[in-house]
């Protein structure tokens, strides 16, 4: 793990360096996106520039873009983004080049959202858990026991939901974040310094969460004492006992080595980890039609790939936690009855969300999604 700590230090240095480069106007690139200011207007240029063919039939170009993720190479978001970049490169006959940035390369998760909004990066994978104070409706993904237990069906719902792809997406667009796809990285589980089997086990428990206030509220409903922090600080915080537990999909718990500093893991499947493939809307809407169509095609082709990548990692990495003799972890799986005790408390948070947090639009999004989930199960 020493290596990982060193990596975090290194990443912070790289982040500082990269941010200086970006602040200087992105000298690393030489495509149309380069011609920009830091308010995202560069991308209007990339759309309205000379419409002559950039070679191999693609209008404009060559294009040099940036795609920032919240994860490291090998982890689901990074693998997704790299495949996305490779596919677009291939489809455009080498006219589209996307540099994929790992987590930490350009700052924290919250910094990355700002870079997308300002047009300093064109693409980002954004977890809604980092945007809750801005797009309150996006906190719908913090609601536990909202989706089904069928992960494939959940992906289908994310792919086709009007509530999400039309109405929630419009709420994000108001904040200069355009979601092109919602997908998930698997079911979330709990890890803890102590066993987490009943709501009583959460009494006073120091739980790490992402930024969104509704995630914190969800754990307060169980009696916990939640603290928001970036995952870059989480290993050390768990090791020192600053926080006692956290939630994440299995692949992430294993790859970030959280199991090394946690004695217990609970297979709770209390939520799915949703991620969004997003673009800066000024950039995207300013592109020539054929270029935008290539992006859209790639987004569609990546939907099944996202599911496959997370499935493979979540399944294969569980063994590394269960059979780890150097860092043993007691793994329990909640029964349906045990899950029901959490579900009842989570229901109160659903009511709080629609009655106190969002307005009529947010309530409509929640109710529409709920009926889409119900329909999908019939
Ligand atoms: O827990 C987190 O904050 C991180 N978890 C995942 C699965 N991806 C990135 C995110 O920042």
């Amino acid at each position: 793990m020493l290596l990982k700590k060193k990596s975090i230090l290194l990443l912070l240095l790289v982040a500082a360096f990269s941010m200086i480069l970006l602040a200087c106007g992105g000298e690393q690139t030489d495509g149309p996106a380069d011609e920009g200011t830091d308010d995202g207007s560069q991308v209007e240029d990339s759309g309205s520039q000379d419409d002559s063919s950039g070679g191999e039939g693609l209008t404009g170009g060559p294009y040099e873009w940036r795609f920032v993720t919240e994860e490291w190479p090998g982890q689901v978001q990074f693998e997704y983004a790299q495949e996305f970049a490779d596919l677009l490169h291939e489809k455009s006959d080498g006219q589209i080049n996307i540099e994929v940035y790992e987590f930490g390369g350009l700052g924290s998760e919250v910094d990355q959202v700002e870079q997308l909004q300002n047009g300093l990066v064109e693409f980002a994978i954004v977890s809604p858990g980092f945007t809750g104070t801005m797009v309150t409706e996006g906190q719908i993904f913090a609601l536990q026991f909202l989706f089904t237990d069928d992960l494939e069906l959940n992906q289908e719902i994310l792919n086709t939901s009007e509530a999400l792809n039309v109405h929630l997406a419009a709420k994000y667009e108001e904040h200069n974040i355009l979601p092109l796809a919602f997908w998930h990285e698997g079911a979330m589980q709990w890890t803890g310094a102590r066993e987490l089997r009943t709501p009583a086990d959460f009494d006073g428990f120091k739980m790490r969460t992402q930024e969104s206030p509704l995630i914190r509220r969800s754990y307060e409903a169980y009696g916990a004492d939640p603290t928001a922090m970036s995952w870059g600080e989480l290993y050390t915080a768990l090791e020192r006992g600053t926080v006692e537990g956290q939630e994440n999909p299995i692949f992430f718990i294993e790859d970030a080595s959280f199991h090394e500093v946690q004695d217990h893991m609970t297979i709770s499947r209390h939520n799915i980890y949703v991620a969004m493939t997003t673009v800066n809307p000024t950039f995207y809407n300013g592109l020539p039609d054929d270029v935008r169509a290539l992006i859209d095609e790639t987004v569609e082709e990546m939907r099944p790939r996202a599911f496959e990548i997370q499935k493979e990692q979540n399944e294969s990495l569980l063994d590394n936690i269960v059979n780890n003799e150097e860092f043993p972890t007691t793994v329990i799986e909640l029964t349906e009855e045990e899950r029901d005790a959490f579900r009842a408390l989570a229901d109160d948070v659903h009511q709080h969300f629609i009655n106190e947090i969002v307005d009529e639009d947010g309530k409509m999004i929640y109710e529409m999604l709920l009926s889409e989930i119900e329909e999908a199960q019939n």
Side-chain angles (χ1 to χ4, degrees):
M1 190 59 215
L2 192 61
L3 191 63
K4 295 220 170 187
K5 283 185 194 164
K6 279 187 180 160
S7 304
I8 290 175
L9 269 179
L10 189 65
L11 281 175
L12 288 174
L13 284 173
V14 173
F17 180 66
S18 304
M19 287 170 83
I20 291 166
L21 279 182
L22 285 176
C24 291
E27 287 92 332
Q28 291 164 312
T29 68
D30 57 6
D34 247 355
E35 292 154 19
T37 65
D38 62 1
D39 64 2
S41 60
Q42 84 257 26
V43 281
E44 276 197 356
D45 291 342
S46 68
S48 59
Q49 65 163 338
D50 174 12
D51 261 2
S52 63
S53 168
E56 306 299 338
L58 193 74
T59 306
Y63 294 96
E64 305 282 336
W65 299 329
R66 305 176 185 93
F67 195 152
V68 67
T69 77
E70 299 165 338
E71 295 176 7
W72 285 346
Q75 298 178 339
V76 175
Q77 288 187 13
F78 191 93
E79 293 310 294
Y80 170 100
Q82 192 57 61
E83 270 193 46
F84 185 101
D86 293 345
L87 251 177
L88 257 179
H89 184 75
E90 197 183 300
K91 283 174 185 295
S92 65
D93 289 316
Q95 291 294 294
I96 297 178
N97 298 293
I98 302 182
E99 182 162 2
V100 177
Y101 288 85
E102 65 183 22
F103 172 68
L106 297 180
S108 74
E109 300 93 335
V110 176
D111 295 332
Q112 294 178 181
V113 175
E114 283 172 16
Q115 285 151 11
L116 179 85
Q117 290 173 300
N118 295 335
L120 291 173
V121 300
E122 288 79 11
F123 295 83
I125 306 283
V126 174
S127 300
F130 295 107
T131 60
T133 49
M134 185 168 50
V135 186
T136 48
E137 297 83 358
Q139 296 189 98
I140 196 165
F141 298 115
L143 297 173
Q144 303 189 4
F145 300 97
L146 171 66
F147 285 90
T148 77
D149 289 336
D150 180 337
L151 292 176
E152 207 159 350
L153 187 65
N154 291 337
Q155 186 54 59
E156 192 53 32
I157 294 164
L158 293 175
N159 287 344
T160 57
S161 162
E162 177 187 332
L164 301 180
N165 292 285
V166 177
H167 303 291
L168 182 60
K171 294 291 173 190
Y172 273 96
E173 199 172 353
E174 283 171 17
H175 294 271
N176 233 20
I177 300 166
L178 177 59
L180 297 180
F182 295 88
W183 47 280
H184 73 75
E185 299 186 50
M188 286 205 277
Q189 325 296 351
W190 293 314
T191 64
R194 64 176 186 237
E195 184 175 273
L196 297 167
R197 190 186 279 278
T198 69
D201 295 327
F202 275 99
D203 193 27
F205 186 78
K206 290 184 279 176
M207 184 75 178
R208 176 269 173 172
T209 67
Q210 294 179 339
E211 289 291 314
S212 290
L214 202 70
I215 307 181
R216 292 208 293 280
R217 174 75 189 216
S218 298
Y219 284 101
E220 281 163 2
Y222 298 157
D225 174 16
T227 303
M229 68 175 65
S230 164
W231 81 261
E233 300 161 30
L234 185 51
Y235 182 95
T236 307
L238 290 168
E239 193 175 33
R240 293 185 180 159
T242 318
V243 291
E244 298 167 287
Q246 61 84 45
E247 60 173 3
N248 254 308
I250 286 168
F251 87 86
F252 199 75
I253 292 169
E254 200 278 345
D255 202 81
S257 305
F258 298 148
H259 62 297
E260 292 181 5
V261 283
Q262 295 274 264
D263 290 337
H264 298 271
M265 180 164 87
T266 303
I267 305 295
S268 49
R269 294 177 287 118
H270 58 281
N271 206 347
I272 52 172
Y273 190 101
V274 172
M276 305 184 291
T277 303
T278 66
V279 279
N280 176 289
T282 317
F283 153 74
Y284 176 78
N285 293 325
L287 288 170
D289 288 349
D290 58 337
V291 178
R292 207 169 40 244
L294 271 196
I295 293 174
D296 294 348
E297 203 178 289
T298 307
V299 167
E300 290 312 309
E301 286 175 29
M302 285 306 295
R303 287 183 196 277
R305 282 299 297 139
F307 187 79
E308 285 161 12
I309 296 168
Q310 66 76 27
K311 185 175 187 312
E312 197 279 313
Q313 293 204 12
N314 280 307
E315 288 176 0
S316 66
L317 295 179
L318 176 60
D319 275 358
N320 294 359
I321 299 176
V322 174
N323 300 321
N324 195 316
E325 288 176 6
E326 195 185 353
F327 301 102
T329 305
T330 307
V331 181
I332 57 163
E333 180 160 7
L334 296 187
T335 64
E336 274 317 300
E337 275 175 353
E338 287 167 337
R339 292 178 82 217
D340 283 346
F342 289 103
R343 200 190 303 270
L345 295 169
D347 276 351
D348 296 341
V349 184
H350 288 221
Q351 295 314 309
H352 172 72
F353 175 68
I354 53 175
N355 294 324
E356 318 281 341
I357 304 291
V358 288
D359 60 13
E360 283 307 305
D361 283 359
K363 196 170 171 187
M364 177 274 287
I365 290 171
Y366 172 82
E367 281 165 359
M368 188 183 283
L369 179 61
L370 219 58
S371 58
E372 288 169 341
I373 292 172
E374 233 174 84
E375 245 173 65
Q377 292 178 95
N378 293 326

